[in-house]
Amino acid sequence: MKRDIGLIGLGVMGKSLALNMAGKGYSLSLFNRPEQGKGDHIAQRIIEENSLLSGSLGFEELSPFLNTLKSPRIIFIMIKAGEAVDQLLDSLKPFLVKGDVIIEGGNSHYTDTIRRFDDFSQEGIYFLGTGISGGEQGALKGPSIMAGGSKEGFEKVAGILDAIAAKDNNGNACMSFVGRDGAGHFAKMVHNGIEYGEMQIIADIYAILKDGLELKPEQIANTFEKWLHNNHYSFLLEITIDILRKKEDAHWVIDKIADQALAKGTGSWTVQAACDLHIPVQTIAAALFARYQSAFKNERLEANQLYKPEKKQFRQSTDSLAKAYQTARIINHHQGFHLIEAASKKYHWGIDLSSLAHTWTKGCIIQSELMSVLLEILNERKAVLSSFAIVPRIKAGLPHLAELVSNTAISGIATPALSASLNYMYCYMEGRSTANLIQAQRDYFGAHGIQWSDNPSGKSFHYKWLE
């Protein structure tokens, strides 16, 4: 009997998605090449180890794998992004026919997805670059799904994606067609960029509570739990509470973990895309560079001995900290949606930001109560920070954020994401910036030209500075 779906790649995410699809009643054929350290017949072993997959077929050769699929064939690819995806797609091409659907669900760079989409479209094959968020548990129980590429191809697989996706409080799937070619993977990339900012904002607050207020991990967790149940719910805050409460042999696990964080690529891609599109994403960039700086452990230890910094305690209520935290989060989300909007215009994707925000309300890493608020705001076609619903929140929260950044600066506590958020907001509100001086300096040394502020034509000319 022919199978409904073929899934290639049985790593953590691929295996979880296979179990999710099988649990929803879909019949599967699974493919995984032999891997060093894992041996042969990986797909068959996974089937044998998971009763939910007992009706599935396992393969390590493409031709017999593809021959077991219903026509038109639906092929779900879950392998590491990059050259490996191109190699696999090249191997698949000779076996594909017009009308087949490829769902590429890894964290591929959106420009690669645009290229692949164009390539397969010429052959009449539907290509979907699909962002999937939620980690292992999300993939298993219901992820957030951001499909991009062929709209016609999406319509052929929408039922499957709907079935396996997370559901909102009304039972609607947190899954959407984001836009043509690379739109889905671009959205997933920026999702991860916002995630970087969210994680660093929480880490900044953790540093303040630990070093500024000298609280123990469990006390910090208790503080966060109060916030969690006071209209500040977020998945990342929730898991942080669990992390801070974890003990092993009477010692806090968090204190045993090395203070060096990795970055796999999507954060840097987000910042690079923002530079290409000239969109300011200071919070996301600060979070990315904080990770980079954490990697230089030896240099940091040497500097600690050279400068012998002293971290001073300071007083600021946890209620004030909560307001500063939420303010920074709004600013971070604004930057992410601003970047997506700019890309949508450049690439003619027509992304519905409100629909995308809905996709992020459940199942994904950045799911939160704030996201539910933002989807309503974005439905009004307004930028987050210019919304009448958000302006009072920012006005009320900004003094708390400013006080916090000031206190941490004086106390010697690094808060890269909070500081970047505050400065972003100050720049955002500035009616007349210092860019006039930058413009003059560039013209003075490089004859790049200046524009008069009272000339609506925007024409530039070189001023004769030395005359």
Side-chain angles (χ1 to χ4, degrees):
M1 185 176 71
K2 298 286 187 179
R3 294 319 199 250
D4 299 322
I5 306 163
L7 191 145
I8 298 176
L10 293 167
V12 172
M13 290 291 285
K15 175 184 170 182
S16 294
L17 280 173
L19 290 166
N20 186 342
M21 287 186 276
K24 300 301 187 299
Y26 292 102
S27 58
L28 305 172
S29 286
L30 306 178
F31 174 93
N32 207 100
R33 293 187 188 280
E35 294 181 24
Q36 187 174 2
K38 292 185 179 181
D40 300 336
H41 310 298
I42 294 171
Q44 189 57 44
R45 281 192 279 113
I46 287 175
I47 290 169
E48 292 169 0
E49 292 166 2
N50 295 272
S51 59
L52 200 57
L53 298 173
S54 59
S56 303
L57 302 176
F59 299 89
E60 51 186 17
E61 291 184 13
L62 286 175
S63 181
F65 162 74
L66 293 168
N67 286 338
T68 64
L69 302 180
K70 293 177 181 177
S71 182
R73 292 170 294 187
I74 298 170
I75 305 160
F76 216 128
I77 298 174
M78 292 299 298
I79 67 173
K80 187 177 180 180
E83 187 178 348
V85 176
D86 283 322
Q87 291 174 351
L88 174 61
L89 292 174
D90 286 341
S91 298
L92 280 171
K93 269 185 180 180
F95 303 104
L96 299 176
V97 298
K98 187 175 180 179
D100 285 343
V101 182
I102 296 175
I103 306 170
E104 201 272 285
N107 277 332
S108 287
H109 195 277
Y110 71 98
T111 56
D112 288 336
T113 304
I114 293 172
R115 170 175 53 81
R116 293 164 186 157
F117 168 82
D118 290 340
D119 185 23
F120 281 100
S121 293
Q122 293 174 15
E123 305 295 329
I125 296 164
Y126 303 117
F127 189 87
L128 292 169
T130 303
I132 300 175
S133 176
E136 179 181 6
Q137 287 302 305
L140 180 64
K141 298 177 181 178
S144 168
I145 300 176
M146 298 143 264
S150 166
K151 183 65 181 292
E152 189 175 349
F154 170 76
E155 290 169 352
K156 293 180 181 295
V157 300
I160 296 170
L161 300 181
D162 189 288
I164 66 173
K167 303 299 185 292
D168 67 14
N169 294 334
N170 296 317
N172 299 312
C174 291
M175 180 278 296
S176 63
F177 180 76
V178 181
R180 183 179 166 84
D181 52 61
H185 275 144
F186 190 93
K188 177 57 165 59
M189 178 190 73
V190 179
H191 164 286
N192 287 18
I194 295 171
E195 177 186 305
Y196 270 58
E198 290 287 278
M199 292 171 72
Q200 189 61 49
I201 288 169
I202 293 174
D204 287 359
I205 298 289
Y206 163 71
I208 292 162
L209 294 170
K210 177 173 67 76
D211 297 325
L213 277 64
E214 296 189 336
L215 300 183
K216 301 295 183 185
E218 188 169 27
Q219 293 173 303
I220 299 173
N222 292 340
T223 298
F224 285 164
E225 187 167 44
K226 291 177 183 176
W227 297 3
L228 191 72
H229 299 299
N230 189 28
N231 299 321
H232 294 317
Y233 172 79
S234 83
F235 171 76
L236 283 169
L237 191 63
E238 183 177 50
I239 68 168
T240 301
I241 294 166
D242 289 343
I243 290 166
L244 292 173
R245 285 182 172 156
K246 191 70 174 176
K247 274 189 170 183
E248 197 172 273
D249 300 325
H251 297 289
W252 301 107
V253 171
I254 189 65
D255 292 336
K256 297 168 66 176
I257 299 174
D259 59 332
Q260 294 166 287
L262 298 176
K264 285 192 173 180
T266 46
S268 61
W269 291 352
T270 303
V271 174
Q272 288 165 4
C275 291
D276 292 341
L277 293 165
H278 301 173
I279 301 299
V281 291
Q282 284 95 314
T283 306
I284 296 170
L288 173 68
F289 293 134
R291 289 200 194 185
Y292 287 167
Q293 195 161 15
S294 77
F296 293 90
K297 178 69 172 181
N298 291 336
E299 288 86 343
R300 289 190 290 112
L301 288 173
E302 182 182 2
N304 185 267
Q305 291 303 308
L306 285 171
Y307 293 99
K308 299 188 184 303
E310 293 183 15
K311 294 180 180 179
K312 303 173 184 176
Q313 279 188 280
F314 65 85
R315 287 188 170 276
Q316 189 164 348
S317 71
T318 55
D319 179 62
S320 178
L321 292 184
K323 291 173 181 174
Y325 161 72
Q326 194 70 344
T327 302
R329 292 188 63 223
I330 294 170
I331 295 167
N332 179 44
H333 280 73
H334 168 88
Q335 293 171 24
F337 282 111
H338 188 195
L339 177 56
I340 293 170
E341 182 181 34
S344 179
K345 289 178 179 177
K346 176 177 179 179
Y347 295 106
H348 308 290
W349 285 333
I351 296 176
D352 184 331
L353 296 181
S354 180
S355 176
L356 182 58
H358 173 265
T359 300
W360 291 344
T361 56
K362 294 288 182 181
C364 70
I365 304 302
I366 61 173
Q367 60 178 292
S368 66
E369 289 184 23
L370 174 61
M371 194 64 72
S372 297
V373 172
L374 296 184
L375 79 87
E376 298 295 339
I377 289 168
L378 293 166
N379 194 42
E380 302 170 2
R381 301 292 190 271
K382 284 184 176 291
V384 171
L385 287 177
S386 64
S387 166
F388 294 127
I390 288 296
V391 170
R393 292 190 182 203
I394 295 294
K395 282 184 174 181
L398 202 59
H400 297 278
L401 180 58
E403 180 185 3
L404 185 57
V405 171
S406 175
N407 283 334
T408 57
I410 294 170
S411 300
I413 299 171
T415 54
L418 293 174
S419 300
S421 299
L422 178 66
N423 280 305
Y424 176 92
M425 198 63 210
Y426 282 163
C427 289
Y428 182 80
M429 298 185 298
E430 188 61 69
R432 181 167 173 78
S433 74
T434 56
N436 55 331
L437 179 58
I438 302 297
Q439 194 179 164
Q441 290 169 333
R442 292 181 73 246
D443 186 54
Y444 191 105
F445 66 70
H448 294 291
I450 62 169
Q451 298 167 308
W452 290 135
S453 58
D454 59 356
N455 185 348
S457 71
K459 290 182 179 180
S460 63
F461 65 96
H462 175 51
Y463 191 77
K464 298 178 180 179
W465 299 102
L466 297 179
E467 290 186 6

